[in-house]
């Protein structure tokens, strides 16, 4: 490993295996950290691999400020594309070892990607039958954006009175005569 003959992916696998076995050797981690830092700076590691390394090292409490700094800098450009689960996993790993990559990094980490779909008018009436399968957005931000753009029509203008109590009647027509019981 001192000669640089170990591939970046293999370094990630080594860190993952050490974390699974709960093995910590300061001398080994010093070598691993320097090689991983070099791989992060040269762009040899993908975002998923960097995240795996940071989480594994934080589980072992094997903190190296230079490695975590280089990893955060490598992750910064693609941070907006992370899913919510990956964001929370990264944030937990950084907090576990008390690494401070800067307030702008944490702000970017805590921002949610904006939902660009149009707001669902039936949801805001309390009548959307599709729930998470709905093709329109049920997000508060999309509703506010639609209202700001002037595309929103209140229920009185967009189709009449609310009949939310009838929304499930057509879903269970067979149940009216006890066919489902």
């Amino acid at each position: 490993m001192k000669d640089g003959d170990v591939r970046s992916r293999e370094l990630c696998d080594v860190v993952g295996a050490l974390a699974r076995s709960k093995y910590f050797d300061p001398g080994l981690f010093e070598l691993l950290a320097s090689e991983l830092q070099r791989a992060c700076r040269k762009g040899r590691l993908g975002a998923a691999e960097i995240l795996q390394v940071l989480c594994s090292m934080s589980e072992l409490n094997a903190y190296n400020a230079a490695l975590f700094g280089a990893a955060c800098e490598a992750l910064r450009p693609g941070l907006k594309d992370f899913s919510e689960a990956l964001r929370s996993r990264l944030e937990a790993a950084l907090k576990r070892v008390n690494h401070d990559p800067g307030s702008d990094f944490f702000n970017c980490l805590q921002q949610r990607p904006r939902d660009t779909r149009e707001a669902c008018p039936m949801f805001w009436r309390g009548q959307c039958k599709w729930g998470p399968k709905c093709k329109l957005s049920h997000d508060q931000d999309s509703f506010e954006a639609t209202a700001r753009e002037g595309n929103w029509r209140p229920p009185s203008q967009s189709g009449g009175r609310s009949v939310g109590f009838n929304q499930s009647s057509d879903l269970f027509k067979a149940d009216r005569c006890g066919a489902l019981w």
Side-chain angles (χ1 to χ4, degrees):
M1 188 166 18
K2 291 180 183 177
D3 300 331
D5 57 348
V6 180
R7 294 183 188 150
S8 303
R9 182 171 302 258
E10 292 171 348
L11 291 172
C12 296
D13 292 339
V14 167
V15 172
L18 292 173
R20 285 190 300 276
S21 65
K22 308 286 188 224
Y23 179 76
F24 178 79
D25 179 20
L28 178 62
F29 274 103
E30 189 176 318
L31 291 172
L32 277 173
S34 65
E35 290 298 316
L36 287 167
Q37 179 183 352
R38 184 178 305 126
C40 285
R41 291 186 194 232
K42 289 186 177 183
R44 293 181 185 158
L45 296 175
E49 294 167 330
I50 293 173
L51 183 62
Q52 176 202 357
V53 166
L54 291 181
C55 292
S56 297
M57 291 190 78
S58 69
E59 286 175 15
L60 288 171
N61 203 19
Y63 177 66
N64 182 304
L67 170 61
F68 274 73
C72 288
E73 287 303 313
L75 289 175
R76 188 181 306 267
L79 199 57
K80 63 183 178 298
D81 299 329
F82 274 31
S83 68
E84 190 66 32
L86 293 179
R87 287 172 186 255
S88 62
R89 191 171 165 211
L90 176 60
E91 186 177 6
L94 294 176
K95 286 183 178 180
R96 194 176 300 135
V97 293
N98 294 326
H99 180 73
D100 183 21
S103 61
D104 59 333
F105 186 86
F106 272 121
N107 290 341
C108 189
L109 188 62
Q110 293 173 348
Q111 284 180 347
R112 293 185 327 181
R114 185 182 171 325
D115 191 359
T116 57
R117 298 176 295 171
E118 182 182 336
C120 177
M122 299 305 283
F123 176 76
W124 296 107
R125 286 182 179 182
Q127 299 175 356
C128 184
K129 301 173 192 174
W130 295 101
K133 294 181 182 178
C134 186
K135 294 179 182 177
L136 301 174
S137 177
H138 293 175
D139 190 27
Q140 178 73 26
D141 296 334
S142 66
F143 172 72
E144 291 171 0
T146 305
R148 271 194 310 272
E149 293 167 2
N151 298 336
W152 179 257
R153 295 183 303 163
S156 60
Q157 297 175 359
S158 65
R161 61 186 176 82
S162 173
V163 288
F165 58 89
N166 287 331
Q167 77 177 13
S168 63
S169 64
D170 60 340
L171 293 174
F172 302 105
K173 285 183 181 176
D175 191 35
R176 289 186 190 154
C177 61
L180 297 177
W181 299 103

